[in-house]
């Protein structure tokens, strides 16, 4: 049957009416151009990084370096006319810092040793010279084997490590195949959530427990007490995991809890140097070592702070867009890629928005967190105070006013896309926002969850919280929690690209008609038992 032209028009009209209309996400390309130009041609991001790293130094939470950095951020934002303050949370526990470390083998030859003290362990009260001995303590039943034998000794925990030549490149960019895999939904597993994305090993997040106890907090506390009671002069571990070639990864030996046992001075040595000492001892050749460590606990501030700064919005100023990164670091390097890089990018985003004087309907809030390395503590405390505690999910008024939170904490590699954290409704929005940045390498959208950093505090209470997909670079191989996590390992062009993309995302979020879509509210997650700080290294990025 042949339809008339009028009937065809009517049928087409009916089809349009019956099809649900999805509004296309609007992107102001003129504003995107301004943001790109400011971020790529007038960048100050490396200047921010310089002050956070070379000037402030390492930033273990509640250390002098951390508070110096926090004070500098408030001052710098204030110079741009951005109101900022330090918001207290707690209790956190003891701070810790060290001001001197030297390690020498004196006999059979004089050789400087590459190493570092472990956080939350004391100093030596001057140079300590003694003979080393290797012990094999894997459980509390092994304590009796060494009772009365450790006083005044430098105790090496365990045998040396078998090192293999690495044939893998130190630095990596994500390939098209990597990104294509990330763009695919993961296979369903138990519960369908929490699966590590491809390349997760290359962007950190794994434990570096190493050594006796395998990171078991109860055993490590008992071991620390035993070593202290027995009078060990210094305790030495071979640096764990990826440590080799003079790069070593070091975290904590004791805890920030003043009620826990304080161990003897504890250090890690690069495995090549540890192995040499172990071989000499195995051959019954006398060895003499010397350590000089100045370290101290800080008990004057048991609470910590997050740094918060606002650019007030216009017609929807009571609604908020948040960006953040963690300001704290571990102590052996200057915490450049973990995570002064993310903090510097977010500071630069605030500068760009303020410099361009862009219209912002919603308030834009920067938060730089403390305690991330001990278990995303600062952001979790902030979320509980302002939005909801995951334990009871009793929503506070601000919960309804947050549009979304964007986080950077995977090193200094350029943004390649976004993890949607299971929020399907965000896909068309992010597609539109990333489109102007395809030429800068950012186009991948992954429905997958990614973990290990502060966006999880928001996601846990049903708020849109997102982490960007980044190139891993040298994060896992060289910088994450290492003595080589320093300014020179940060990639300037990648940092500028990140600032441009995050600033654009913030502008779009601040000015879109609606708040960002949310997933269904999660159920409360009651705490099983009171949590106490563990001496094992944290599993954060």
């Amino acid at each position: 049957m042949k339809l008339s032209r009028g009937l065809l028009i009517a049928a087409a009209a009916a089809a349009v009416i019956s099809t649900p209309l999805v509004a296309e996400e609007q992107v102001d390309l003129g504003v995107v151009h301004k943001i790109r130009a400011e971020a790529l041609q007038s960048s100050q991001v490396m200047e921010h990084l310089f002050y956070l790293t070379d000037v402030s130094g390492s930033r273990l939470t509640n250390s002098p370096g951390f508070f110096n950095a926090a004070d500098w951020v408030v001052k710098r934002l204030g110079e741009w006319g951005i109101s900022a303050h330090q918001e207290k949370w707690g209790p956190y526990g003891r701070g810790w810092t060290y001001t001197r470390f030297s390690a020498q083998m004196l006999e059979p030859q004089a050789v400087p040793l590459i190493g570092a003290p472990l956080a939350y362990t004391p100093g030596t009260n001057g140079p300590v010279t003694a003979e080393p001995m290797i012990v094999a303590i894997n459980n509390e039943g092994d304590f009796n084997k060494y009772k009365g034998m450790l006083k005044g000794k430098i105790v090496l925990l365990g045998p040396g490590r078998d090192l293999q030549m690495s044939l893998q490149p130190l630095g990596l960019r994500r390939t098209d195949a990597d990104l294509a895999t990330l763009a695919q939904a993961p296979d369903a597993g138990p519960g369908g959530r929490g699966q590590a994305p491809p390349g997760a090993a290359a962007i950190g997040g794994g434990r570096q427990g190493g050594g006796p106890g395998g990171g078991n907090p109860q055993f490590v506390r008992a071991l620390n007490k035993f070593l202290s009671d027995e009078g060990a002069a210094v305790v030495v571990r071979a640096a764990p995991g990826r440590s080799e070639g003079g790069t070593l990864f070091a975290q904590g030996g004791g805890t920030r809890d003043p009620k826990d046992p304080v161990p003897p001075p504890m250090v890690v040595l690069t495995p090549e140097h540890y192995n040499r000492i172990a071989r000499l001892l195995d051959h019954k050749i006398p060895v003499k070592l010397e350590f000089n460590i100045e370290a101290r606990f800080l008990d004057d501030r048991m609470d910590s702070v997050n740094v918060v700064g606002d650019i007030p919005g216009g017609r929807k100023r009571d609604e908020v867009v948040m960006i953040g990164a963690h300001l704290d670091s571990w102590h052996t390097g200057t915490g450049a890629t973990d995570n002064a890089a993310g903090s510097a990018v977010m500071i630069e985003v605030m500068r760009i928005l303020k410099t361009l004087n862009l219209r912002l309907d919603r308030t834009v809030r920067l938060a730089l967190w403390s305690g991330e390395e001990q278990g995303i503590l600062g952001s979790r405390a902030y979320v509980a105070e302002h939005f909801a505690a995951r334990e009871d999910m009793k929503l506070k008024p601000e919960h309804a006013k947050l549009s979304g939170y964007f986080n950077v904490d995977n090193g200094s590699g350029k943004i390649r896309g976004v993890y949607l954290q299971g929020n399907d409704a965000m896909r068309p929005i992010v597609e539109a926002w990333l489109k102007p940045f395809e030429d800068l390498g950012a186009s991948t959208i992954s429905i997958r969850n990614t973990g290990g950093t502060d966006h999880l505090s928001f996601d846990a209470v049903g708020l849109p919280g997102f982490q960007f997909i980044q190139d891993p670079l040298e994060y896992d191989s060289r910088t994450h929690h290492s003595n080589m996590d320093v300014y020179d390992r940060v990639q300037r062009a990648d940092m500028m690209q990140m600032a441009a993309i995050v600033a654009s995302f913030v502008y779009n979020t601040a000015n879109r008609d609606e708040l960002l879509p949310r997933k269904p509210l999660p159920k409360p997650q009651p705490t099983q038992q009171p949590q106490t700080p563990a001496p094992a290294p944290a599993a954060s990025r």
Side-chain angles (χ1 to χ4, degrees):
M1 175 180 173
K2 186 174 181 180
L3 295 176
S4 68
R5 183 171 180 275
L7 288 175
L8 287 172
I9 294 173
V16 170
I17 293 172
S18 63
T19 302
L21 297 177
V22 178
E24 184 178 351
E25 190 71 18
Q26 297 299 307
V27 176
D28 188 330
L29 294 180
V31 170
V32 171
H33 173 77
K34 291 179 181 179
I35 289 173
R36 282 181 58 139
E38 182 65 27
L40 301 181
Q41 298 172 22
S42 303
S43 177
Q44 295 182 27
V45 69
M46 296 303 285
E47 188 76 356
H48 313 326
L49 184 78
F50 165 76
Y51 281 99
L52 293 176
T53 58
D54 289 345
V55 177
S56 295
S58 63
R59 301 173 309 282
L60 189 70
T61 295
N62 281 21
S63 69
F66 172 82
F67 287 120
N68 288 343
D71 291 342
W72 176 83
V73 173
V74 171
K75 179 175 180 292
R76 177 52 56 96
L77 293 175
E79 291 169 352
W80 299 331
I82 298 173
S83 175
H85 66 281
Q86 296 177 24
E87 186 168 320
K88 186 169 71 173
W89 65 272
Y92 168 77
R94 315 174 84 177
W96 179 88
T97 189
Y98 80 102
T99 53
R100 180 188 295 274
F101 174 83
S102 66
Q104 292 272 131
M105 182 167 70
L106 302 179
E107 296 178 4
Q109 287 90 33
V111 178
L113 302 174
I114 299 173
L118 289 174
Y120 307 112
T121 67
T124 55
N125 294 318
V128 169
T129 302
E131 297 176 350
M133 66 176 292
I134 296 176
V135 300
I137 301 177
N138 298 304
N139 54 63
E140 293 185 44
D142 292 330
F143 291 169
N144 286 335
K145 295 189 298 185
Y146 299 100
K147 200 153 185 68
M149 299 173 59
L150 306 183
K151 187 172 180 61
K153 296 286 188 179
I154 293 175
V155 177
L156 276 61
L157 290 180
R161 286 178 46 206
D162 183 24
L163 298 179
Q164 301 295 324
M165 181 177 66
S166 175
L167 299 177
Q168 301 301 315
L170 286 173
L172 294 171
R173 295 280 186 188
R174 293 192 186 274
T175 66
D176 290 344
D178 294 335
L179 294 169
T181 301
L182 267 178
Q184 299 300 310
D187 293 335
R193 294 181 61 84
Q195 300 174 44
I203 53 173
R207 288 191 179 274
Q208 296 180 29
N216 180 296
Q218 290 74 26
F219 172 67
V220 176
R221 287 188 180 92
L223 175 61
N224 284 348
K225 184 177 187 304
F226 172 75
L227 295 169
S228 180
D229 290 347
E230 290 298 304
V234 179
V235 177
V236 183
R237 296 178 181 173
R242 303 148 288 154
S243 301
E244 61 178 19
T247 296
L248 57 86
F249 299 82
Q251 297 184 38
T255 87
R256 65 187 189 276
D257 189 336
K259 299 188 297 295
D260 279 343
V262 176
M266 303 185 83
V267 306
V268 291
L269 294 180
T270 190
E272 293 90 343
H273 287 176
Y274 189 100
N275 287 354
R276 180 180 181 184
I277 297 167
R279 286 192 298 269
L280 288 167
L281 294 176
D282 287 344
H283 284 76
K284 311 300 182 186
I285 295 175
V287 178
K288 188 173 291 185
L289 305 178
E290 180 182 272
F291 291 93
N292 188 4
I293 307 166
E294 292 179 8
R296 59 194 173 97
F297 289 92
L298 306 168
D299 295 328
D300 55 327
R301 299 175 74 166
M302 290 292 184
D303 291 329
S304 192
V305 298
N306 299 314
V307 180
V308 180
D310 281 2
I311 299 177
R315 62 190 182 94
K316 298 180 180 180
R317 65 185 302 152
D318 61 327
E319 297 178 359
V320 178
V321 183
M322 287 191 69
I323 58 174
H326 70 89
L327 186 62
D328 66 308
S329 74
W330 283 101
H331 59 287
T332 54
T334 57
T337 68
D338 187 25
N339 186 31
S343 295
V345 165
M346 295 312 188
I347 294 168
E348 176 71 352
V349 167
M350 298 295 276
R351 186 198 68 81
I352 291 168
L353 296 175
K354 190 69 176 177
T355 298
L356 295 178
N357 195 27
L358 298 174
R359 174 182 64 85
L360 298 169
D361 290 343
R362 296 181 176 88
T363 294
V364 175
R365 178 167 299 155
L366 165 70
L368 301 182
W369 312 111
S370 63
E372 191 272 352
E373 296 293 359
Q374 288 71 35
I376 61 174
L377 301 178
S379 59
R380 183 171 179 172
Y382 182 92
V383 167
E385 176 69 22
H386 289 269
F387 304 120
R390 67 184 71 185
E391 290 80 8
D392 58 25
M393 284 302 297
K394 294 179 179 177
L395 305 187
K396 300 182 178 183
E398 290 179 70
H399 192 281
K401 299 294 186 179
L402 181 74
S403 186
Y405 171 78
F406 300 99
N407 193 79
V408 169
D409 181 20
N410 282 169
S412 71
K414 67 167 63 174
I415 288 173
R416 307 304 303 275
V418 180
Y419 293 106
L420 296 184
Q421 208 69 21
N423 189 342
D424 300 86
M426 282 292 296
R427 183 179 295 276
I429 298 169
V430 173
E431 282 179 346
W433 291 356
L434 283 179
K435 191 71 175 175
F437 297 98
E438 286 184 354
D439 62 326
L440 295 181
S443 60
T444 301
I445 300 174
S446 175
I447 195 65
R448 298 168 186 260
N449 302 327
T450 187
T453 191
D454 293 291
H455 70 290
L456 295 179
S457 296
F458 293 81
D459 186 68
V461 297
L463 293 168
F466 306 101
Q467 169 70 29
F468 292 93
I469 301 167
Q470 294 174 248
D471 277 339
L473 305 183
E474 304 168 305
Y475 193 66
D476 189 60
S477 61
R478 178 178 266 163
T479 66
H480 178 237
H481 300 173
S482 86
N483 59 332
M484 287 294 107
D485 192 5
V486 294
Y487 178 99
D488 299 276
R489 305 260 55 95
V490 172
Q491 302 304 307
R492 180 175 181 268
D494 290 31
M495 296 279 282
M496 294 190 297
Q497 184 252 28
M498 284 195 281
I501 292 174
V502 175
S504 178
F505 270 51
V506 171
Y507 174 81
N508 291 329
T509 308
N511 293 312
R512 72 189 308 268
D513 291 338
E514 305 296 332
L515 297 173
L516 295 180
R518 300 182 177 189
K519 298 182 293 188
L521 282 176
K523 295 179 180 179
Q525 305 169 48
T527 302
Q528 298 295 320
Q529 294 178 344
Q531 298 294 308
T532 58
S540 56
R541 291 196 186 282

PDB file of all heavy atoms in Angstrom, residues 472-492:
ATOM      1  N   PRO A 472      50.192   6.257  33.448  1.00  0.00           N
ATOM      2  CA  PRO A 472      50.917   5.885  34.670  1.00  0.00           C
ATOM      3  C   PRO A 472      52.327   6.467  34.753  1.00  0.00           C
ATOM      4  O   PRO A 472      52.834   6.677  35.855  1.00  0.00           O
ATOM      5  CB  PRO A 472      50.955   4.354  34.609  1.00  0.00           C
ATOM      6  CG  PRO A 472      50.762   4.012  33.172  1.00  0.00           C
ATOM      7  CD  PRO A 472      49.884   5.088  32.599  1.00  0.00           C
ATOM      8  N   LEU A 473      52.975   6.712  33.616  1.00  0.00           N
ATOM      9  CA  LEU A 473      54.353   7.204  33.614  1.00  0.00           C
ATOM     10  C   LEU A 473      55.244   6.311  34.485  1.00  0.00           C
ATOM     11  O   LEU A 473      55.267   5.108  34.329  1.00  0.00           O
ATOM     12  CB  LEU A 473      54.405   8.670  34.050  1.00  0.00           C
ATOM     13  CG  LEU A 473      53.520   9.653  33.253  1.00  0.00           C
ATOM     14  CD1 LEU A 473      53.735  11.077  33.745  1.00  0.00           C
ATOM     15  CD2 LEU A 473      53.760   9.571  31.764  1.00  0.00           C
ATOM     16  N   GLU A 474      55.966   6.919  35.456  1.00  0.00           N
ATOM     17  CA  GLU A 474      56.877   6.172  36.326  1.00  0.00           C
ATOM     18  C   GLU A 474      56.295   5.956  37.723  1.00  0.00           C
ATOM     19  O   GLU A 474      57.018   5.635  38.656  1.00  0.00           O
ATOM     20  CB  GLU A 474      58.196   6.939  36.487  1.00  0.00           C
ATOM     21  CG  GLU A 474      58.890   7.272  35.195  1.00  0.00           C
ATOM     22  CD  GLU A 474      60.003   8.273  35.408  1.00  0.00           C
ATOM     23  OE1 GLU A 474      59.728   9.354  35.971  1.00  0.00           O
ATOM     24  OE2 GLU A 474      61.140   7.969  35.037  1.00  0.00           O
ATOM     25  N   TYR A 475      54.990   6.150  37.859  1.00  0.00           N
ATOM     26  CA  TYR A 475      54.379   6.189  39.191  1.00  0.00           C
ATOM     27  C   TYR A 475      54.638   4.910  39.971  1.00  0.00           C
ATOM     28  O   TYR A 475      55.076   4.934  41.120  1.00  0.00           O
ATOM     29  CB  TYR A 475      52.882   6.434  39.034  1.00  0.00           C
ATOM     30  CG  TYR A 475      52.158   6.796  40.314  1.00  0.00           C
ATOM     31  CD1 TYR A 475      52.434   7.989  40.959  1.00  0.00           C
ATOM     32  CD2 TYR A 475      51.176   5.970  40.846  1.00  0.00           C
ATOM     33  CE1 TYR A 475      51.756   8.338  42.115  1.00  0.00           C
ATOM     34  CE2 TYR A 475      50.497   6.321  41.994  1.00  0.00           C
ATOM     35  CZ  TYR A 475      50.790   7.505  42.627  1.00  0.00           C
ATOM     36  OH  TYR A 475      50.115   7.849  43.778  1.00  0.00           O
ATOM     37  N   ASP A 476      54.390   3.776  39.357  1.00  0.00           N
ATOM     38  CA  ASP A 476      54.550   2.512  40.066  1.00  0.00           C
ATOM     39  C   ASP A 476      56.009   2.070  40.099  1.00  0.00           C
ATOM     40  O   ASP A 476      56.450   1.459  41.060  1.00  0.00           O
ATOM     41  CB  ASP A 476      53.704   1.432  39.396  1.00  0.00           C
ATOM     42  CG  ASP A 476      53.672   0.153  40.220  1.00  0.00           C
ATOM     43  OD1 ASP A 476      53.209   0.194  41.370  1.00  0.00           O
ATOM     44  OD2 ASP A 476      54.139  -0.880  39.720  1.00  0.00           O
ATOM     45  N   SER A 477      56.761   2.387  39.075  1.00  0.00           N
ATOM     46  CA  SER A 477      58.119   1.869  38.966  1.00  0.00           C
ATOM     47  C   SER A 477      59.146   2.684  39.732  1.00  0.00           C
ATOM     48  O   SER A 477      60.165   2.151  40.167  1.00  0.00           O
ATOM     49  CB  SER A 477      58.536   1.817  37.492  1.00  0.00           C
ATOM     50  OG  SER A 477      58.514   3.124  36.931  1.00  0.00           O
ATOM     51  N   ARG A 478      58.885   3.981  39.925  1.00  0.00           N
ATOM     52  CA  ARG A 478      59.954   4.823  40.455  1.00  0.00           C
ATOM     53  C   ARG A 478      59.527   5.781  41.562  1.00  0.00           C
ATOM     54  O   ARG A 478      60.344   6.080  42.453  1.00  0.00           O
ATOM     55  CB  ARG A 478      60.578   5.622  39.309  1.00  0.00           C
ATOM     56  CG  ARG A 478      61.681   6.570  39.724  1.00  0.00           C
ATOM     57  CD  ARG A 478      62.270   7.277  38.515  1.00  0.00           C
ATOM     58  NE  ARG A 478      63.457   6.574  38.016  1.00  0.00           N
ATOM     59  CZ  ARG A 478      63.974   6.767  36.810  1.00  0.00           C
ATOM     60  NH1 ARG A 478      63.390   7.622  35.995  1.00  0.00           N
ATOM     61  NH2 ARG A 478      65.042   6.115  36.422  1.00  0.00           N
ATOM     62  N   THR A 479      58.300   6.298  41.559  1.00  0.00           N
ATOM     63  CA  THR A 479      58.022   7.447  42.433  1.00  0.00           C
ATOM     64  C   THR A 479      57.055   7.191  43.579  1.00  0.00           C
ATOM     65  O   THR A 479      57.155   7.861  44.604  1.00  0.00           O
ATOM     66  CB  THR A 479      57.473   8.625  41.605  1.00  0.00           C
ATOM     67  OG1 THR A 479      56.188   8.281  41.056  1.00  0.00           O
ATOM     68  CG2 THR A 479      58.426   8.997  40.489  1.00  0.00           C
ATOM     69  N   HIS A 480      56.118   6.282  43.441  1.00  0.00           N
ATOM     70  CA  HIS A 480      55.033   6.146  44.417  1.00  0.00           C
ATOM     71  C   HIS A 480      55.571   5.718  45.783  1.00  0.00           C
ATOM     72  O   HIS A 480      55.955   4.589  45.991  1.00  0.00           O
ATOM     73  CB  HIS A 480      54.024   5.130  43.886  1.00  0.00           C
ATOM     74  CG  HIS A 480      52.875   4.843  44.776  1.00  0.00           C
ATOM     75  ND1 HIS A 480      52.578   3.577  45.217  1.00  0.00           N
ATOM     76  CD2 HIS A 480      51.948   5.657  45.319  1.00  0.00           C
ATOM     77  CE1 HIS A 480      51.507   3.607  45.977  1.00  0.00           C
ATOM     78  NE2 HIS A 480      51.102   4.865  46.047  1.00  0.00           N
ATOM     79  N   HIS A 481      55.626   6.678  46.742  1.00  0.00           N
ATOM     80  CA  HIS A 481      56.103   6.447  48.111  1.00  0.00           C
ATOM     81  C   HIS A 481      57.611   6.224  48.184  1.00  0.00           C
ATOM     82  O   HIS A 481      58.096   5.554  49.090  1.00  0.00           O
ATOM     83  CB  HIS A 481      55.377   5.267  48.778  1.00  0.00           C
ATOM     84  CG  HIS A 481      53.905   5.447  48.898  1.00  0.00           C
ATOM     85  ND1 HIS A 481      53.054   4.455  49.338  1.00  0.00           N
ATOM     86  CD2 HIS A 481      53.111   6.519  48.636  1.00  0.00           C
ATOM     87  CE1 HIS A 481      51.814   4.899  49.337  1.00  0.00           C
ATOM     88  NE2 HIS A 481      51.821   6.153  48.902  1.00  0.00           N
ATOM     89  N   SER A 482      58.362   6.775  47.252  1.00  0.00           N
ATOM     90  CA  SER A 482      59.797   6.489  47.201  1.00  0.00           C
ATOM     91  C   SER A 482      60.632   7.728  47.498  1.00  0.00           C
ATOM     92  O   SER A 482      60.138   8.861  47.533  1.00  0.00           O
ATOM     93  CB  SER A 482      60.179   5.941  45.818  1.00  0.00           C
ATOM     94  OG  SER A 482      60.443   6.997  44.914  1.00  0.00           O
ATOM     95  N   ASN A 483      61.948   7.495  47.649  1.00  0.00           N
ATOM     96  CA  ASN A 483      62.892   8.602  47.813  1.00  0.00           C
ATOM     97  C   ASN A 483      63.082   9.392  46.528  1.00  0.00           C
ATOM     98  O   ASN A 483      63.670  10.479  46.547  1.00  0.00           O
ATOM     99  CB  ASN A 483      64.250   8.081  48.319  1.00  0.00           C
ATOM    100  CG  ASN A 483      64.866   7.056  47.374  1.00  0.00           C
ATOM    101  OD1 ASN A 483      64.167   6.352  46.649  1.00  0.00           O
ATOM    102  ND2 ASN A 483      66.186   6.950  47.399  1.00  0.00           N
ATOM    103  N   MET A 484      62.610   8.872  45.413  1.00  0.00           N
ATOM    104  CA  MET A 484      62.704   9.565  44.130  1.00  0.00           C
ATOM    105  C   MET A 484      61.390  10.236  43.729  1.00  0.00           C
ATOM    106  O   MET A 484      61.218  10.631  42.560  1.00  0.00           O
ATOM    107  CB  MET A 484      63.145   8.597  43.033  1.00  0.00           C
ATOM    108  CG  MET A 484      64.602   8.187  43.116  1.00  0.00           C
ATOM    109  SD  MET A 484      65.739   9.576  42.828  1.00  0.00           S
ATOM    110  CE  MET A 484      66.350   9.860  44.495  1.00  0.00           C
ATOM    111  N   ASP A 485      60.461  10.381  44.666  1.00  0.00           N
ATOM    112  CA  ASP A 485      59.230  11.105  44.362  1.00  0.00           C
ATOM    113  C   ASP A 485      59.496  12.594  44.549  1.00  0.00           C
ATOM    114  O   ASP A 485      59.166  13.191  45.574  1.00  0.00           O
ATOM    115  CB  ASP A 485      58.083  10.637  45.263  1.00  0.00           C
ATOM    116  CG  ASP A 485      56.740  11.156  44.773  1.00  0.00           C
ATOM    117  OD1 ASP A 485      56.700  11.792  43.700  1.00  0.00           O
ATOM    118  OD2 ASP A 485      55.729  10.931  45.466  1.00  0.00           O
ATOM    119  N   VAL A 486      60.109  13.190  43.532  1.00  0.00           N
ATOM    120  CA  VAL A 486      60.589  14.560  43.621  1.00  0.00           C
ATOM    121  C   VAL A 486      60.169  15.355  42.382  1.00  0.00           C
ATOM    122  O   VAL A 486      59.692  14.799  41.385  1.00  0.00           O
ATOM    123  CB  VAL A 486      62.131  14.593  43.772  1.00  0.00           C
ATOM    124  CG1 VAL A 486      62.547  13.974  45.100  1.00  0.00           C
ATOM    125  CG2 VAL A 486      62.819  13.860  42.614  1.00  0.00           C
ATOM    126  N   TYR A 487      60.346  16.661  42.471  1.00  0.00           N
ATOM    127  CA  TYR A 487      59.902  17.607  41.440  1.00  0.00           C
ATOM    128  C   TYR A 487      60.306  17.181  40.030  1.00  0.00           C
ATOM    129  O   TYR A 487      59.511  17.273  39.086  1.00  0.00           O
ATOM    130  CB  TYR A 487      60.493  18.976  41.779  1.00  0.00           C
ATOM    131  CG  TYR A 487      60.183  20.088  40.807  1.00  0.00           C
ATOM    132  CD1 TYR A 487      59.170  21.005  41.063  1.00  0.00           C
ATOM    133  CD2 TYR A 487      60.926  20.251  39.632  1.00  0.00           C
ATOM    134  CE1 TYR A 487      58.893  22.044  40.184  1.00  0.00           C
ATOM    135  CE2 TYR A 487      60.656  21.286  38.741  1.00  0.00           C
ATOM    136  CZ  TYR A 487      59.641  22.174  39.019  1.00  0.00           C
ATOM    137  OH  TYR A 487      59.371  23.199  38.140  1.00  0.00           O
ATOM    138  N   ASP A 488      61.544  16.724  39.864  1.00  0.00           N
ATOM    139  CA  ASP A 488      62.061  16.445  38.532  1.00  0.00           C
ATOM    140  C   ASP A 488      61.380  15.275  37.838  1.00  0.00           C
ATOM    141  O   ASP A 488      61.548  15.097  36.628  1.00  0.00           O
ATOM    142  CB  ASP A 488      63.566  16.175  38.612  1.00  0.00           C
ATOM    143  CG  ASP A 488      64.315  17.367  39.161  1.00  0.00           C
ATOM    144  OD1 ASP A 488      64.635  18.268  38.380  1.00  0.00           O
ATOM    145  OD2 ASP A 488      64.541  17.400  40.378  1.00  0.00           O
ATOM    146  N   ARG A 489      60.615  14.471  38.533  1.00  0.00           N
ATOM    147  CA  ARG A 489      59.923  13.340  37.930  1.00  0.00           C
ATOM    148  C   ARG A 489      58.507  13.713  37.474  1.00  0.00           C
ATOM    149  O   ARG A 489      57.774  12.876  36.962  1.00  0.00           O
ATOM    150  CB  ARG A 489      59.851  12.168  38.932  1.00  0.00           C
ATOM    151  CG  ARG A 489      61.223  11.761  39.451  1.00  0.00           C
ATOM    152  CD  ARG A 489      61.798  10.546  38.774  1.00  0.00           C
ATOM    153  NE  ARG A 489      61.909  10.579  37.337  1.00  0.00           N
ATOM    154  CZ  ARG A 489      63.011  10.941  36.677  1.00  0.00           C
ATOM    155  NH1 ARG A 489      64.071  11.353  37.323  1.00  0.00           N
ATOM    156  NH2 ARG A 489      63.027  10.889  35.361  1.00  0.00           N
ATOM    157  N   VAL A 490      58.115  14.972  37.657  1.00  0.00           N
ATOM    158  CA  VAL A 490      56.789  15.453  37.253  1.00  0.00           C
ATOM    159  C   VAL A 490      56.862  16.011  35.835  1.00  0.00           C
ATOM    160  O   VAL A 490      57.809  16.740  35.489  1.00  0.00           O
ATOM    161  CB  VAL A 490      56.283  16.527  38.235  1.00  0.00           C
ATOM    162  CG1 VAL A 490      55.002  17.182  37.714  1.00  0.00           C
ATOM    163  CG2 VAL A 490      56.031  15.898  39.605  1.00  0.00           C
ATOM    164  N   GLN A 491      55.866  15.682  35.014  1.00  0.00           N
ATOM    165  CA  GLN A 491      55.844  16.084  33.605  1.00  0.00           C
ATOM    166  C   GLN A 491      55.019  17.360  33.417  1.00  0.00           C
ATOM    167  O   GLN A 491      53.797  17.367  33.611  1.00  0.00           O
ATOM    168  CB  GLN A 491      55.287  14.944  32.748  1.00  0.00           C
ATOM    169  CG  GLN A 491      56.067  13.651  32.885  1.00  0.00           C
ATOM    170  CD  GLN A 491      57.536  13.830  32.577  1.00  0.00           C
ATOM    171  OE1 GLN A 491      57.916  14.348  31.532  1.00  0.00           O
ATOM    172  NE2 GLN A 491      58.396  13.392  33.501  1.00  0.00           N
ATOM    173  N   ARG A 492      55.698  18.438  33.054  1.00  0.00           N
ATOM    174  CA  ARG A 492      55.078  19.763  32.988  1.00  0.00           C
ATOM    175  C   ARG A 492      53.912  19.810  32.003  1.00  0.00           C
ATOM    176  O   ARG A 492      52.833  20.320  32.328  1.00  0.00           O
ATOM    177  CB  ARG A 492      56.149  20.787  32.593  1.00  0.00           C
ATOM    178  CG  ARG A 492      55.655  22.221  32.473  1.00  0.00           C
ATOM    179  CD  ARG A 492      56.825  23.173  32.210  1.00  0.00           C
ATOM    180  NE  ARG A 492      56.374  24.554  32.110  1.00  0.00           N
ATOM    181  CZ  ARG A 492      56.032  25.144  30.972  1.00  0.00           C
ATOM    182  NH1 ARG A 492      56.097  24.456  29.823  1.00  0.00           N
ATOM    183  NH2 ARG A 492      55.629  26.402  30.958  1.00  0.00           N
TER     184      ARG A 492
END
